[in-house]
Amino acid sequence: MGPTHDHLTEEIKRLRRCMNDLVGVVGLAAVWTGRAPSQIVGILLDSLLGMLLLDVAYARVEGPDSKTAIEMVRVAQSRQPPTRASDIGDALANAFGGDPLRWPPSARIRLAGSDVSVATVRLGLRGDAGVVVAGTQRADFPDPIDTLLLRVAASQAAIGLQEARLLGEQRRLAHELDQRVAQRTTALAAANTELKREVTVRRRAEAALRASEHDARLIVDSIPAGVALLTPTGEVDDVNRQVLQYFGRPLDELKNWVASDIVHPEDVPNVVRRLTHSINSGEPYECEHRLRRHDGRYRWFQARGLPLRNADGGIVRWYILLTDIDERKRAQEALQRGEAFLAEAQRLSSTGSFSWRVSTDDITWSDELHRIFELDPPLTPARIRTRVHPEDVHAFDTTVDRARHTGDDFECRCRLLMPNHSIKHLHVVAHATRDREGQLEYIAAVQDVTESRVSEEALRDAQQQLARAARVTSLGVLTASIAHEINQPLSGIVTNAGTCLRMLAADPPDVDGARETARRTIRDGNRASEVVTRLRALFGRSGSTTEPVDLNDAAQEVIMLSSSELQRNRVVVRTELAAELPPVFGDRVQLQEVILNLCLNALDAMRSVDDRPRQLVVRTERDEGTGVRLTVQDAGVGLDPHAADALFQPFYTTKTGGMGIGLSVSRSIIENHRGRIWAASNDGPGASFSFSVPCAPQAVSRLGGPRIVHEREVTPRAAADAVHGGVSP
Amino acid sequence: MILLVPSLVSVVDDDQSVRESLPDLLKVCGYNAEAFASAEEFLASDLLRETKCLIVDVAMPGMNGPDLQRELSRRRQAIPIVYVTAHRDETVRPRMLEQGAVECLFKPFSDTALLDAVMRALRAG
């Protein structure tokens, strides 16, 4: 039993050692946790060398990046000299081939001068991570326990390497992360530095700005003009001393300028519009407007504003400069008004003007003069002369010559012959003056009097016609008039003749008295004959006609024809003529006679009025129903309320003498037109006389539907009334 | 009948021919006569009270014939009136007579017609 016992004991020892080695191998994992692959491989080889009593331990494993390989060797301390790993690797490659994965699990080879038994285990889960080769001179190597330990150790190492590889990867990632963080941090730091620099620059700029603003403020307060500072949105932020003094109000009140009377209310819309435009666009602001001074007076200002911008171009504020241009503006307005007035006056009066500096023949012409001569600028004496009527050229030359040599004022009339063969009549008045150097200069006015010449003639014709027309009345009125006018002298004749006879028949006869009465008889006879002559003139135009009459036209004609008489008496005529007035049916001349009569009555009523305008209003309008009404309103002495009705009655007259056509004649005419006439007091001063006549039948049917028109017979009474009221003995 | 004091007949007419001719006719016939150019002139005259007969034109500027008649009536001066007028309006005469006139003559009238009217007036007065 001795050897068996020994063998058993040996076997137990070996197994125990093997267990210890296994525990040690397993414990290696704790040793190499967190180590780099080369360290792990080193520990592995050291451990195998000790546990398996090897002469040499060699490993070749993949590097962390799978491209390089780690090759390492450990030899027993007795082996001298130290061996390089690559020599061992080369020797193994020579023995087994270049690919370690094809190396045999065990073999007996010659290595470094000795015969050694080698065992090869592959690393990694798939055996591709590397190879470990253990070698010893022992011939029985490797026994099963050696192989077990080798494999366990190899698998442990494979795990460790895997972990190490993962760890390496993690470290690499961590490193990379660190690097990126570092890079980013550097970049941020750089940015930060730049930012700080910018901040510094900006602060300096702002400080400079503040300084310049302070300077500006000093300037602003000392310049002789108003300055207002606005925010970028246009609110008043501050104003200078001059502005406060001008307005005499605190800044807070000035801030609310839109809603107050600081800017003239008429100017506010324009100011707001322009300011808004500038605020929105950043364009310079400019506006002229009135501002209310502390004493309530508005003065004209020119406001000009520029934006103050920061380094980025953003608007920080607006500076508005307010310049008092009141004097200039008023002078300008006065000048413009003067010029406009002059131009208008020249245009209205067809009057041109020129100045003529005789020594140099420099002539300055007004625009109206160009229109009169129908010549484009420039006018020269020679060009003007071409317009002068051939028959007047000699007189023109003479006048110019005399003016040139005498230096006297002159006035002349001459005609122009225009290219279209029309003739213009000019009236020239020139006044001689001497300029500072004593040189002769004429200031002259040239009036185109063509129109007034022509219209004077037309007016004269029309007035003559109206004068005739005004005496044409209805046959009844004429008969009564003739009778009246003749009866007066006839009465004298008859009475005188009777008296004369009685004087001669007396005892003794009163011859002187008879002679006197005979003289008066002859005189009254002549008077009667004059009346007949005068009455015959009334027939100069034939009797009445009946036609549609536009009362507006008729009234305007009358006003036009009587305008000189009205103007002479300072009467202002206003017309209020209804548009689209339907025509009436009647005798145009008779109706005009009535209108004229009413106008002349109104004129008479205003003759004594001096404390108010002598205004005459002629108004036409549609009457209620189917008529047309014409009213003549005066501002005269007015009516006695009780007399208003009597006005149109017979025997009522206020005038003496002549063949006047009175209100009763007017009434007669209007009644013959189936109309009516009446008078009323005005609310204010004066009276209104109106008549209303029906529209022409066709106009009535067109406007108001069917209407039966009754012919009204003119009674002798009506005719007599008409005569009594209007005609005085 | 012979009157010791001739009766005063006043003529009011704005027509000069009448003012000249009528007084002469009346004087030739033995009346005293005065002429006035207007009703106002007559009313203002001292001769108003002595007037026994009034010859007056119907239509005159200012106060006309009927106006004058009313004014005299208001003053209780009952003077007989003879109207004359140059307007031959047949409706005037009845109206004037109705209002109390002695006569209303249309110009031209005959001397006899006038003298007849004046005599009737003086009898009425």
Side-chain angles (χ1 to χ4, degrees):
Chain A
M1 268 291 303
T4 308
H5 181 260
D6 290 346
H7 179 75
L8 192 64
T9 305
E10 190 63 24
E11 191 68 22
I12 289 166
K13 280 183 183 171
R14 271 189 61 209
L15 283 173
R16 189 173 288 141
R17 200 175 68 235
C18 177
M19 286 301 117
N20 286 337
D21 286 345
L22 270 176
V23 169
V25 169
V26 172
L28 284 176
V31 174
W32 61 45
T33 296
R35 310 256 175 159
S38 57
Q39 290 175 310
I40 293 172
V41 173
I43 292 168
L44 173 66
L45 295 182
D46 284 341
S47 303
L48 291 175
L49 204 65
M51 277 190 290
L52 303 178
L53 305 172
L54 301 176
D55 291 308
V56 62
Y58 166 86
R60 180 189 172 94
V61 298
E62 282 182 354
D65 55 1
S66 307
K67 288 174 185 169
T68 58
I70 297 171
E71 199 172 30
M72 197 173 283
V73 71
R74 288 289 190 273
V75 294
Q77 287 177 347
S78 57
R79 304 276 303 185
Q80 290 293 336
T83 309
R84 286 193 305 178
S86 58
D87 293 342
I88 302 299
D90 288 344
L92 288 170
N94 284 337
F96 305 130
D99 184 2
L101 300 180
R102 291 177 181 271
W103 292 351
S106 59
R108 182 99 188 153
I109 59 169
R110 183 111 188 134
L111 194 66
S114 310
D115 287 328
V116 283
S117 300
V118 293
T120 301
V121 290
R122 289 190 293 186
L123 296 176
L125 298 175
R126 292 183 299 277
D128 55 358
V131 65
V132 175
V133 179
T136 175
Q137 290 176 0
R138 282 191 290 129
D140 59 343
F141 183 82
D143 62 16
I145 291 174
D146 293 329
T147 304
L148 176 70
L149 285 173
L150 264 176
R151 285 186 179 160
V152 171
S155 62
Q156 282 293 99
I159 292 167
L161 285 171
Q162 182 67 25
E163 283 180 350
R165 189 172 290 122
L166 287 172
L167 187 65
E169 182 69 11
Q170 280 173 354
R171 280 187 181 154
R172 195 182 59 75
L173 286 173
H175 178 66
E176 195 171 317
L177 199 62
D178 280 351
Q179 277 190 329
R180 287 193 187 172
V181 168
Q183 277 174 3
R184 184 69 189 139
T185 305
T186 310
L188 283 174
N192 196 27
T193 308
E194 177 64 18
L195 208 58
K196 277 181 183 164
R197 197 185 59 76
E198 280 178 15
V199 166
T200 310
V201 168
R202 185 167 301 188
R203 278 190 185 149
R204 268 193 214 121
E206 281 172 3
L209 187 63
R210 272 197 299 278
S212 78
E213 276 180 25
H214 179 69
D215 289 348
R217 180 74 211 197
L218 285 177
I219 296 168
V220 155
D221 269 344
S222 52
I223 58 173
V227 175
L229 283 71
L230 308 190
T231 65
T233 54
E235 280 96 35
V236 174
D237 194 23
D238 201 1
V239 296
N240 71 348
R241 197 158 39 80
Q242 284 77 355
V243 172
L244 290 174
Q245 282 171 354
Y246 178 83
F247 288 112
R249 306 188 198 205
L251 179 61
D252 283 348
E253 277 187 39
L254 300 183
K255 287 184 176 181
N256 192 28
W257 62 271
V258 174
S260 73
D261 58 354
I262 287 171
V263 176
H264 194 289
E266 287 174 14
D267 299 341
V268 166
N270 188 34
V271 172
V272 169
R273 187 169 51 77
R274 283 173 182 256
L275 189 58
T276 307
H277 173 76
S278 289
I279 295 293
N280 292 337
S281 65
E283 287 173 18
Y285 165 71
E286 182 158 353
C287 188
E288 289 185 2
H289 54 76
R290 283 158 287 181
L291 292 174
R292 191 179 195 273
R293 202 165 59 183
H294 52 80
D295 60 1
R297 217 192 125 220
Y298 282 97
R299 292 179 67 83
W300 278 98
F301 276 80
Q302 181 193 49
R304 275 181 300 176
L306 286 173
L308 178 69
R309 295 175 186 273
N310 60 18
D312 300 332
I315 293 173
V316 178
R317 62 173 38 154
W318 285 83
Y319 274 97
I320 309 289
L321 183 68
L322 298 166
T323 314
D324 187 332
I325 55 165
D326 202 62
E327 305 295 333
R328 195 188 82 197
K329 188 83 176 175
R330 282 179 201 284
Q332 200 179 333
E333 278 177 0
L335 191 64
Q336 281 170 355
R337 227 177 10 248
E339 282 175 358
F341 180 74
L342 187 63
E344 184 66 7
Q346 292 207 347
R347 197 181 61 73
L348 283 175
S349 60
S350 297
T351 305
S353 56
F354 67 87
S355 70
W356 172 30
R357 191 179 288 260
V358 175
S359 61
T360 57
D361 263 354
D362 280 344
I363 302 183
T364 313
W365 310 90
S366 76
D367 287 348
E368 184 60 27
L369 209 62
H370 291 286
R371 279 195 286 275
I372 289 173
F373 282 94
E374 296 175 25
L375 285 171
D376 291 328
L379 289 185
T380 62
R383 291 186 73 203
I384 283 183
R385 197 169 174 281
T386 62
R387 283 277 194 264
V388 176
H389 195 286
E391 291 173 17
D392 291 351
V393 165
H394 180 69
F396 175 82
D397 289 344
T398 308
T399 305
V400 170
D401 263 4
R402 199 170 51 224
R404 197 187 286 279
H405 292 111
T406 63
D408 291 341
D409 291 357
F410 66 89
E411 180 174 354
C412 68
R413 289 174 184 274
C414 79
R415 289 167 296 170
L416 301 185
L417 183 60
M418 307 311 289
N420 63 0
H421 303 298
S422 66
I423 288 182
K424 283 190 180 180
H425 296 264
L426 298 191
H427 182 199
V428 183
V429 180
H431 174 61
T433 62
R434 297 276 170 180
D435 65 11
R436 281 185 204 151
E437 287 89 39
Q439 294 295 313
L440 178 63
E441 184 173 5
Y442 280 99
I443 309 292
V446 180
Q447 188 173 24
D448 181 351
V449 294
T450 313
E451 206 172 310
S452 59
R453 282 242 170 149
V454 171
S455 55
E456 269 170 24
E457 285 163 17
L459 189 63
R460 211 174 298 130
D461 284 351
Q463 273 173 335
Q464 284 169 354
Q465 280 186 18
L466 186 75
R468 280 200 300 274
R471 288 182 172 80
V472 175
T473 51
S474 67
L475 192 60
V477 172
L478 275 176
T479 306
S481 293
I482 293 164
H484 178 268
E485 287 298 299
I486 292 186
N487 284 341
Q488 290 284 30
L490 279 185
S491 179
I493 289 168
V494 172
T495 304
N496 281 318
T499 308
C500 182
L501 287 175
R502 283 170 194 274
M503 284 173 168
L504 290 175
D507 187 17
D510 179 0
V511 178
D512 286 346
R515 193 178 286 125
E516 173 61 20
T517 53
R519 190 189 61 75
R520 288 203 297 258
T521 305
I522 295 166
R523 184 198 65 188
D524 287 346
N526 285 339
R527 184 179 154 199
S529 130
E530 278 168 25
V531 169
V532 172
T533 307
R534 209 158 79 232
L535 287 170
R536 193 175 286 139
L538 283 173
F539 291 93
R541 271 205 164 188
S542 61
S544 66
T545 54
T546 305
E547 61 190 332
V549 178
D550 181 342
L551 271 190
N552 282 349
D553 280 356
Q556 275 174 325
E557 234 170 73
V558 168
I559 291 165
M560 192 186 71
L561 292 169
S562 56
S563 61
S564 66
E565 178 71 4
L566 293 167
Q567 275 176 11
R568 202 165 58 77
N569 287 283
R570 304 196 311 281
V571 172
V572 182
V573 182
R574 196 175 83 222
T575 54
E576 295 176 8
L577 304 179
E580 296 176 4
L581 201 67
V584 299
F585 205 62
D587 185 314
R588 184 187 179 88
V589 173
Q590 287 186 9
L591 290 171
Q592 283 186 315
E593 203 175 303
V594 173
I595 299 169
L596 178 67
N597 184 33
L598 295 184
C599 288
L600 294 179
N601 278 349
L603 168 64
D604 284 336
M606 291 192 284
R607 237 180 252 283
S608 61
V609 171
D610 284 313
D611 60 341
R612 56 180 179 267
R614 297 180 179 178
Q615 190 173 59
L616 176 75
V617 181
V618 178
R619 185 183 305 122
T620 58
E621 60 204 312
R622 289 294 305 276
D623 206 353
E624 294 140 7
T626 56
V628 172
R629 182 195 301 179
L630 184 142
T631 302
V632 175
Q633 178 186 319
D634 65 56
V637 292
L639 299 176
D640 176 357
H642 305 294
D645 289 330
L647 282 173
F648 303 98
Q649 295 295 321
F651 315 136
Y652 191 92
T653 178
T654 56
K655 297 179 202 165
T656 57
M659 273 285 288
I661 297 167
L663 283 174
S664 70
V665 172
S666 297
R667 186 178 77 169
S668 167
I669 291 172
I670 295 302
E671 284 177 350
N672 280 339
H673 284 80
R674 299 185 304 281
R676 61 193 190 93
I677 187 167
W678 68 96
S681 292
N682 294 336
D683 287 341
S688 294
F689 285 78
S690 307
F691 66 81
S692 171
V693 286
C695 301
Q698 60 268 41
V700 170
S701 61
R702 194 173 65 234
L703 292 160
R707 177 167 182 260
I708 299 166
V709 179
H710 297 283
E711 290 295 327
R712 181 179 176 278
E713 209 175 335
V714 182
T715 63
R717 171 69 202 282
D721 282 357
V723 173
H724 288 172
V727 183
S728 302
Chain B
M1 193 167 98
I2 296 167
L3 297 168
L4 295 174
V5 180
S7 298
L8 176 61
V9 178
S10 291
V11 177
V12 181
D13 198 316
D14 62 325
D15 187 74
Q16 195 191 348
S17 299
V18 174
R19 288 203 303 277
E20 286 173 354
S21 59
L22 263 189
D24 278 2
L25 176 64
L26 290 165
K27 282 173 186 166
V28 165
C29 296
Y31 299 104
N32 204 354
E34 278 296 334
F36 301 89
S38 70
E40 289 87 347
E41 192 185 318
F42 173 67
L43 286 171
S45 166
D46 294 337
L47 298 175
L48 186 149
R49 290 181 179 280
E50 297 173 30
T51 300
K52 298 293 182 289
C53 173
L54 188 58
I55 300 173
V56 60
D57 192 10
V58 174
M60 290 183 292
M63 187 179 275
N64 62 24
D67 289 339
L68 176 58
Q69 186 181 3
R70 275 191 292 277
E71 178 60 22
L72 291 173
S73 170
R74 196 183 64 78
R75 298 187 184 189
R76 305 189 183 284
Q77 295 286 330
I79 306 174
I81 292 177
V82 175
Y83 279 113
V84 292
T85 178
H87 299 300
R88 186 170 289 278
D89 183 346
E90 299 301 333
T91 65
V92 173
R93 188 169 181 272
R95 190 144 41 102
M96 297 298 112
L97 295 181
E98 191 183 321
Q99 288 172 10
V102 175
E103 185 53 276
C104 179
L105 300 172
F106 293 115
K107 296 177 186 175
F109 40 79
S110 70
D111 51 357
T112 51
L114 180 82
L115 291 170
D116 173 59
V118 169
M119 271 196 289
R120 279 192 283 128
L122 290 173
R123 270 205 298 275

